[in-house]
Amino acid sequence: MPTLEKLPYLRMFDLHEKAFIGKEMFCSAQGFPKLESLILIELNNLEEWKVGEGAMPSLQRLEIQSCIQLKKLPDGLRFIVTLQEVKIGSMRKTFKDKVEEEEEDFCKVRHGLSIIFH
C-alpha cells in the first residue's frame, strides 16, 4: 500500500481475493489523494484496516464484500466527508451489526448519503 497510495491520479482501486494477503492494511494520511472509489472483495486474511486522518480525501464510494475476517470499519473513515455511498455485503453478522444505525461503527460512515447492505 505505501507505493500505491502515492499514485497522484489513481481514482478507482479494486482489491480482489489474493491481491492483498496481509492481516492488516494501512492507508496513511495524505495517501490516495484522488481516490474516488475503493472496492475490497474477498480479502480473506484482512483482520484490521487502519485509515489515517487525511487519507483518501476524495473518496465517494466504498464497497466491502466477503472480507470475512475484518472486525470493524477503520476509525479514519469519519474524516472522509466526501463519502457518499457505502456498500457492505456477505460480511459476518457481527460486522454488519456494528455498522447499523446507533452501533459502534455507524458514526464512522453516517455522513455517507447511503449505506447499503446486501
Side-chain angles (χ1 to χ4, degrees):
M1 293 300 259
T3 301
L4 292 173
E5 71 181 10
K6 292 180 181 153
L7 294 173
Y9 301 109
L10 183 64
R11 294 192 185 279
M12 297 174 61
F13 190 29
D14 293 13
L15 282 172
H16 293 256
E17 287 188 60
K18 296 178 182 167
F20 183 86
I21 56 171
K23 290 185 177 191
E24 186 176 296
M25 183 167 60
F26 183 67
C27 300
S28 64
Q30 314 311 316
F32 298 104
K34 300 284 186 191
L35 191 68
E36 295 173 358
S37 174
L38 176 61
I39 299 173
L40 308 175
I41 297 177
E42 291 185 31
L43 303 181
N44 295 325
N45 295 326
L46 182 63
E47 294 177 8
E48 187 171 6
W49 177 26
K50 296 179 181 179
V51 173
E53 186 174 348
M56 302 182 287
S58 301
L59 191 67
Q60 297 173 18
R61 180 175 182 261
L62 172 63
E63 184 172 342
I64 302 171
Q65 286 189 44
S66 302
C67 296
I68 57 174
Q69 299 300 324
L70 189 60
K71 296 178 177 114
K72 64 179 186 168
L73 289 173
D75 292 334
L77 288 181
R78 73 179 75 237
F79 303 112
I80 304 174
V81 297
T82 55
L83 194 57
Q84 296 177 11
E85 180 181 85
V86 178
K87 283 188 179 180
I88 296 174
S90 301
M91 297 293 286
R92 290 181 185 225
K93 183 177 178 346
T94 54
F95 182 93
K96 182 180 176 264
D97 289 348
K98 288 179 185 178
V99 180
E100 289 187 285
E101 192 168 345
E102 305 303 322
E103 291 297 326
E104 181 180 342
D105 283 354
F106 177 72
C107 65
K108 298 172 187 175
V109 292
R110 69 175 170 219
H111 52 279
L113 294 178
S114 66
I115 300 172
I116 302 163
F117 295 97
H118 57 94

